[in-house]
Amino acid sequence: MQLPHSTTYRAVSLMVGTSVAISVFVATPLAIASPATSGCPSTFNLFIPGTWETGEGSDPSISVGMLRPIADSLAGKHGSGAQIYTLPYMARAFDNGKTYADSKSDGLTRAQGVLSEIAAKCFATKFTITGYSQGADIAGDLASDIGNGSGPIKAEQVLAVGLLADPGSGTDGETVVGPPPSGKGIADPRPQGMGKLSGRVASICDPKDLYCSIEKGSSPLLGSLGSVLTEAPGAGGDGQVGGDSRLADALASDFPHTDLRGLATATGNLTSELSRIDGSADLQGIATSATLLANTLKPLAELLSSGAANPVANGQLAAAPAGTAENNASQVLDKADKSDLSSALSIADSIADTASTLVSKGSTTLPDASPDRISLSAAAGTLQSQIAPLLLTPSDVLGSASSVLSLLKPTVVVNQVLNFATGVASLDMPAILANLKLLPQKVATLDAQGAHKVAGDLNNQFSPLVKMAACVDLKWVSQILWAIPDPSGYSQVAALIASILANVDIFKLANLVGQVQEIAWVAVEKLLPPSGQFPDPLEAGAAMTGLVPVGLELASVAVDMLSGKATKTDPALPGKPASTAMAAISTQAQDMDLPALADSLTVMTSPQGANDLASLVREGLDAASFFTSGAHQNYNSLVVDNSGRNAIQWIADWLNLQISRGA
């Protein structure tokens, strides 16, 4: 949320940042013993990168991402006495079949392991821990555990903890450096606080960074969604999930195992191998090609059936400039929709299983006329025809689309849910419904002036509704809203409103209102002409007769909006079991109509809350960077003290000072 930054505000912020920095410096231990074990560093400095900045197989000796300048500064100043270790961990969010919480858990486990290992063999070594974004989420949890006696090392061994863009910001015991954030972290502050590490944990958050600064109280829907996506782990091995995990897991797409670019090659290899007529068809090669095809088709088929690849989302991708990954993704979705992916996937799995089974029995090749060879060849031909539209797509288009498709589910959820929330919050629903009842009456009595005025009012009132409907798939949004466990009830009421509006032809309704306004204006001009002209009641009457059929059609289309009842949308996200508790909805709620639901939503959302929602959308939440605004990447330009240091410089200087004081 954009905050006003006056000169006075900047000055005060810088003064606060300076005084905070001093307090953090004073609070750290002053002595550090020489390591008793040969080869142990004086300090072990753990750096935990953010989402997509590293991976499980990355080299821990190579600094990466936002924290690299800090690590380089420590290495340059202290040499071998300060060991730099950049944690290799999953560092993903929803694009590899795992949730953000799964990735965070992996990072936390790995961090605990490496700290325990170093502490066990280097008992005199001291530690610093620094994290950015998802890495700060992990580093902050580590610090909280250590400070409260349940961590892998003792609090006395820790010199300093630096948190940059921490989604758990607002935790008791951390010291805020620089401009104070306007809210808390989207993953919620840590309930135990920092314990014995209080005063040794510095947190920097740009107030405009929604990842670490969001006012959940005034944005219940986004707050609840953010808590779920940052905290809910994915499914277990059996794929069964429930509660919060159901939504989070359903938003994950396993695209890292796909090879869209090589789709045609894999298909060609499969059919070529099965077309050999010399009895040398390689079973292992057949199994490999079929498995690669299955791995590539599965996430694409799941994406199409999930609802995330809805017409609105696809249209927005298609509107991107030609040649971009977004536009390429729209082409791939279009070709995939014209293919029979579910059947093709089933065939690919069957071919892979059959070939693997034969290999396990000792076979290496298939005789030309064997029943298995004939059956597999026919299946491969069918598979090729089922995915023909995709196979005709250029490989570079397929390849570049993967990055967009892998994150389409969370992107669509965040964007469409927020657009709907903003649209609903800005609607004057009572006035819209009252005017929809009144307008046909004005038309029926041939009241040209009255019809023109009411239609004009409706035209203005409809504007946010039309804009919202153009940006979201209401049935999909209703489904997602109902799955968000929002204790305030805001999400559930919004879901019911979406279920009613999904049955209303909003664009046709707006069109008819516009027609009434235009026709009535012609009649009004004939009845009340400019000065010097005589009224023409006959022409006015002729114009009004053209209004009657439009008014009748308007009344017919408006019925769904005026008398439609809320219905419970299917809460089972595709491919995932429904949660009975979450699906429960009272008979009374099902019988509520739009006026009653709109009144409930108005009571829940204050005007300030509505403004906050609008501000959030204007900030442009980018799900591809996982709940971040542009501010999330700008910490190398965020000034945090009155000497002009940015966040990166400040943390580097602070860590260097703590290490020097302990030497």
Side-chain angles (χ1 to χ4, degrees), residues 321-596:
T324 62
E326 289 75 14
N327 187 274
N328 288 343
S330 75
Q331 294 183 51
V332 172
L333 288 173
D334 178 61
K335 300 300 184 183
D337 193 45
K338 293 175 180 176
S339 304
D340 186 355
L341 292 188
S342 58
S343 297
L345 176 59
S346 178
I347 290 176
D349 282 332
S350 178
I351 293 175
D353 290 343
T354 300
S356 297
T357 299
L358 291 172
V359 169
S360 69
K361 292 179 179 179
S363 300
T364 57
T365 59
L366 277 176
D368 295 343
S370 69
D372 286 326
R373 169 68 171 273
I374 294 171
S375 174
L376 290 177
S377 294
T382 301
L383 186 156
Q384 187 172 25
S385 65
Q386 289 169 335
I387 61 173
L390 270 177
L391 295 177
L392 294 174
T393 307
S395 61
D396 59 332
V397 172
L398 288 167
S400 68
S402 292
S403 61
V404 175
L405 297 177
S406 65
L407 289 165
L408 190 63
K409 288 182 183 179
T411 300
V412 171
V413 167
V414 173
N415 290 344
Q416 296 206 4
V417 165
L418 284 178
N419 270 306
F420 178 77
T422 307
V424 168
S426 62
L427 289 177
D428 187 351
M429 194 62 72
I432 288 176
L433 296 173
N435 282 332
L436 276 179
K437 291 178 182 178
L438 183 59
L439 186 55
Q441 297 172 20
K442 295 293 184 183
V443 172
T445 59
L446 300 181
D447 180 357
Q449 289 178 281
H452 180 263
K453 181 183 184 310
V454 174
D457 291 342
L458 263 176
N459 207 20
N460 293 330
Q461 293 158 354
F462 257 48
S463 180
L465 181 60
V466 171
K467 185 182 298 183
M468 178 262 294
C471 296
V472 304
D473 181 302
L474 289 166
K475 289 183 179 179
W476 165 246
V477 165
S478 178
Q479 183 185 54
I480 294 298
L481 284 169
W482 191 249
I484 297 174
D486 175 12
S488 74
Y490 180 99
S491 301
Q492 283 68 51
V493 173
L496 295 172
I497 290 177
S499 76
I500 295 177
L501 294 178
N503 295 317
V504 177
D505 191 337
I506 294 171
F507 298 107
K508 185 173 183 179
L509 206 53
N511 253 350
L512 291 170
V513 169
Q515 288 180 45
V516 170
Q517 187 179 19
E518 289 177 10
I519 295 172
W521 176 244
V522 172
V524 170
E525 282 189 315
K526 297 299 180 183
L527 290 173
L528 302 171
S531 178
Q533 296 182 24
F534 293 103
D536 191 344
L538 291 178
E539 286 293 329
M544 289 303 288
T545 57
L547 191 58
V548 174
V550 179
L552 290 174
E553 190 175 5
L554 174 69
S556 175
V557 176
V559 166
D560 287 330
M561 196 161 180
L562 292 169
S563 59
K565 300 294 183 183
T567 56
K568 177 183 65 180
T569 56
D570 182 4
L573 294 170
K576 309 296 173 186
S579 166
T580 304
M582 193 174 292
I585 179 174
S586 67
T587 303
Q588 180 182 5
Q590 280 183 294
D591 289 338
M592 291 179 75
D593 57 16
L594 198 54

Side-chain angles (χ1 to χ4, degrees), residues 8 23 131 388 422 456 507 517 534 575 582 601 638 640 650:
T8 303
S23 69
T422 307
F507 298 107
Q517 187 179 19
F534 293 103
M582 193 174 292
L601 202 63
L638 176 69
V640 297
W650 190 94

Side-chain angles (χ1 to χ4, degrees), residues 163-246:
L163 305 178
L164 198 62
D166 175 23
S169 67
T171 298
D172 288 342
E174 69 181 21
T175 304
V176 176
V177 176
S182 57
K184 307 295 185 183
I186 198 166
D188 301 316
R190 302 163 185 92
Q192 291 188 98
M194 292 302 177
K196 291 182 179 180
L197 284 187
S198 295
R200 275 176 275 169
V201 180
S203 178
I204 298 179
C205 170
D206 189 322
K208 299 185 294 299
D209 186 346
L210 302 176
Y211 197 29
C212 55
S213 177
I214 180 173
E215 296 183 41
K216 288 191 176 184
S218 58
S219 306
L221 188 151
L222 179 61
S224 298
L225 181 60
S227 296
V228 169
L229 298 188
T230 54
E231 297 169 9
D238 59 0
Q240 297 296 306
V241 288
D244 293 1
S245 296
R246 188 173 63 87

